[in-house]
Amino acid sequence: MATDYDAPRVNQEDQPGTESIEAMQSQRGGSQTALLDVEEADTAEGIDLPGADLSHEELLIQVIPVQEDEFTCMSCFLVHHRSQLAREKDGKKYCSECEG
């Protein structure tokens, strides 16, 4: 449906069938409950809450050392390819993003 934004606006009070939010809520009874979409397979164990104790969890991450064509920026401490080297001062290397 196309809307003509240049057309004059109609006052909401003049339109039949429009009611205030308060009037609509009073007609519904005022008490509404939220429905959660939860699958049967979802359990409390499958949901991680912020601040949860994860000390018993083990991470499996393969750490790859810095390669010969890479460097660690001394400003952002990220590993970059040598093509992003912007400046080297006193043996410290800085990337083009930090020097930008």
Side-chain angles (χ1 to χ4, degrees):
M1 177 176 167
T3 302
D4 184 10
Y5 291 104
D6 295 329
R9 296 185 182 188
V10 179
N11 191 352
Q12 295 292 336
E13 295 173 3
D14 295 340
Q15 290 183 349
T18 59
E19 301 177 32
S20 67
I21 294 176
E22 292 83 15
M24 290 172 34
Q25 287 178 344
S26 66
Q27 288 176 357
R28 292 184 184 170
S31 63
Q32 296 179 1
T33 58
L35 299 176
L36 297 176
D37 185 21
V38 180
E39 295 182 16
E40 292 180 17
D42 289 342
T43 61
E45 296 160 352
I47 301 173
D48 292 330
L49 299 175
D53 180 24
L54 301 175
S55 59
H56 62 280
E57 296 293 327
E58 183 178 334
L59 297 177
L60 302 174
I61 300 173
Q62 181 182 4
V63 178
I64 301 172
V66 177
Q67 304 296 309
E68 292 180 14
D69 61 343
E70 296 175 332
F71 70 97
T72 303
C73 176
M74 291 292 117
S75 180
C76 63
F77 301 104
L78 295 175
V79 177
H80 295 280
H81 188 264
R82 68 174 174 217
S83 63
Q84 294 181 341
L85 180 64
R87 179 173 62 108
E88 184 173 357
K89 182 179 179 183
D90 299 328
K92 296 180 181 178
K93 299 177 181 180
Y94 299 92
C95 69
S96 57
E97 293 177 9
C98 293
E99 290 296 312

